[in-house]
Amino acid sequence: MAKVHNWQLGREMDYPYEGRRPEKQFAMIFDTNKCIACQTCTVACKTTWTTGRGQEYMYWNNVETKPYGYYPLGWDVTILDRLGVQEMDGPVYRGKTLFDAAPTGEIILGYLPEDIDYAHPNIGEDDSTGLMPQGAHLTLPHLQWMFYLPRICNHCTYPACLSACPRQSIYKRPEDGIVLLDQSRCRGYRECVRGCPYKKVYFNAQTRVSEKCIGCYPAVEGGRQTQCTITCIGKIRIQGFLNAPDKVDEDNPLDYLVHVKKIAQPLYPQFGLEPNTYYIPPIHVPAVYLRQMFGWGAERATDMYRQVAMDRKLLGALTLLGATPEIAHYFRVDGDSVIGYDAKESEIARVPLTEPVVIRELYDPKYRAFRTNIT
């Protein structure tokens, strides 16, 4: 295998192909503290891309309730169990990646879910963990917790699906890093489904070939964000392009949140795929759980999120989430607003850092009525 540098692990690792980063990398950031699992993103993706025969069970975008929600069933706990306990003290990961842990004769440690594992996309929804003894009362932090985890294909820098495909049907576009699957080459061996630890490649039993998220590339090529991003009513997402760690641009909102402030963390970085979707971890969840899911920077990220009101530039970058359907390549804070710019540095969004509030009189003399909501 070739040696490639995985900056999320802080070290080199083995990968079947030579490392070659794209000109720019498709990436997305989710603020899990704002997600309410309304599934608007899921419906938007489903009605746009997977309405055909054999696609009924496909959710290129889904939202799970953690810790008990999974789609397919047990996708993360199964591969974590097979990988075993690893050292995760950071900033250099010393444990095994899924490529390091591959059985003899195989490229990556993986597994193929059973058909029944796809039968319950909403399993565990809104189930919380923790004990609620008799006589308990409201305390902070809460005795019980859960949070929502939206997921799409991670368009990884070192994709497991690409490495596992014996037909070389899967490729990573050099112009934007989006990972696509050439169905004319696919023979339906499902090695991509077995290899992807996030289980974001699906086999179509009607066409007998695999399918996956395409990163809404027709929209992205036109300078617009993905369908799941622009339809998010909670404004928890921003999609754009991420530079390599040695080419960080502080005026790029994604670079700023991922590389500079490090408030957005990758999902299961220990797998070794360098995923390109990032999460601002939930602040109410125990740190030990967040560390195994988002890596060793999760606790620092939640501490920073609690203080975001004190950092105007960070607040500005976060305020851009959901502010425009176009891709923001640059941003700056100007007075009490944050401004987003497209690739040609034309203004595409201007948002106040503080949401305007109007307080009305409790009693309305015109209608001789008391208002129950005055803000």
Side-chain angles (χ1 to χ4, degrees):
M1 287 194 179
K3 290 289 185 184
V4 297
H5 182 74
N6 184 324
W7 70 265
Q8 294 175 356
L9 303 183
R11 66 171 173 84
E12 289 190 334
M13 66 169 210
D14 292 331
Y15 187 68
Y17 299 103
E18 292 184 4
R20 182 175 298 175
R21 293 185 181 275
E23 296 172 18
K24 53 187 178 181
Q25 175 60 58
F26 171 99
M28 189 177 293
I29 295 173
F30 307 82
D31 184 350
T32 61
N33 295 285
K34 296 165 64 178
C35 184
I36 58 172
C38 63
Q39 305 286 358
T40 305
C41 51
T42 305
V43 174
C45 177
K46 186 72 182 163
T47 54
T48 303
W49 298 117
T50 57
T51 58
R53 294 185 64 191
Q55 296 180 315
E56 293 85 354
Y57 82 109
M58 294 185 191
Y59 291 96
W60 292 358
N61 178 105
N62 74 303
V63 183
E64 305 169 357
T65 301
K66 287 300 182 187
Y68 299 130
Y70 317 90
Y71 190 73
L73 184 66
W75 66 270
D76 53 351
V77 293
T78 300
I79 197 65
L80 285 169
D81 182 57
R82 296 187 181 203
L83 181 60
V85 177
Q86 304 293 327
E87 293 183 33
M88 282 190 63
D89 294 330
V92 178
Y93 175 63
R94 300 297 183 189
K96 289 183 177 180
T97 68
L98 294 181
F99 298 104
D100 296 332
T104 302
E106 297 186 20
I107 292 174
I108 187 169
L109 176 66
Y111 80 99
L112 194 62
E114 302 288 337
D115 289 349
I116 193 67
D117 293 339
Y118 293 96
H120 306 287
N122 288 336
I123 196 167
E125 188 167 72
D126 290 346
D127 285 349
S128 59
T129 186
L131 299 175
M132 185 67 75
Q134 187 173 13
H137 58 279
L138 179 63
T139 60
L140 291 175
H142 297 305
L143 296 172
Q144 296 181 309
W145 61 268
M146 57 84 171
F147 70 98
Y148 301 119
L149 184 75
R151 299 203 298 122
I152 66 168
C153 166
N154 293 289
H155 298 278
C156 304
T157 303
Y158 306 115
C161 57
L162 184 155
S163 67
C165 177
R167 291 278 302 168
Q168 298 185 335
S169 305
I170 300 177
Y171 61 101
K172 189 171 178 64
R173 302 208 307 182
E175 63 268 35
D176 55 18
I178 291 176
V179 177
L180 296 179
L181 191 153
D182 183 349
Q183 292 181 310
S184 67
R185 291 188 59 81
C186 181
R187 294 295 180 269
Y189 300 146
R190 288 186 280 182
E191 290 300 319
C192 51
V193 181
R194 180 192 302 275
C196 175
Y198 304 100
K199 299 308 172 203
K200 278 299 179 185
V201 187
Y202 299 85
F203 177 70
N204 189 320
Q206 294 293 323
T207 61
R208 311 301 296 174
V209 294
S210 294
E211 301 179 18
K212 66 177 291 299
C213 162
I214 61 171
C216 288
Y217 73 83
V220 171
E221 289 174 354
R224 290 176 65 86
Q225 300 187 65
T226 62
Q227 191 76 340
C228 57
T229 302
I230 65 174
T231 56
C232 175
I233 63 173
K235 299 183 177 183
I236 78 157
R237 303 178 184 223
I238 185 169
Q239 180 258 309
F241 298 106
L242 187 71
N243 289 311
D246 59 345
K247 298 178 181 177
V248 171
D249 182 353
E250 289 198 19
D251 294 331
N252 175 337
L254 278 81
D255 275 7
Y256 188 73
L257 294 171
V258 173
H259 290 310
V260 179
K261 302 304 289 187
K262 297 181 172 55
I263 195 172
Q265 298 288 312
L267 181 63
Y268 293 120
Q270 64 269 40
F271 289 167
L273 280 60
E274 205 181 286
N276 288 300
T277 62
Y278 294 84
Y279 296 82
I280 299 173
I283 60 174
H284 62 289
V285 172
V288 65
Y289 185 88
L290 296 180
R291 171 176 283 245
Q292 60 87 32
M293 176 168 277
F294 300 114
W296 39 92
E299 192 168 0
R300 177 182 175 277
T302 54
D303 289 343
M304 188 183 303
Y305 194 83
R306 291 188 177 95
Q307 304 296 323
V308 67
M310 310 295 291
D311 187 334
R312 290 175 62 81
K313 187 169 183 178
L314 178 57
L315 179 61
L318 293 175
T319 305
L320 273 182
L321 273 64
T324 170
E326 298 175 75
I327 295 176
H329 291 254
Y330 310 103
F331 83 107
R332 71 182 176 92
V333 173
D334 181 18
D336 293 329
S337 299
V338 59
I339 307 170
Y341 301 91
D342 64 13
K344 296 180 180 178
E345 301 189 31
S346 299
E347 182 176 324
I348 55 174
R350 182 182 290 263
V351 190
L353 296 180
T354 304
E355 188 172 356
V357 176
V358 176
I359 301 177
R360 301 180 296 174
E361 294 295 331
L362 176 62
Y363 179 73
D364 187 335
K366 180 179 179 180
Y367 297 104
R368 292 185 294 176
F370 286 93
R371 298 186 173 104
T372 57
N373 184 347
I374 61 172
T375 61

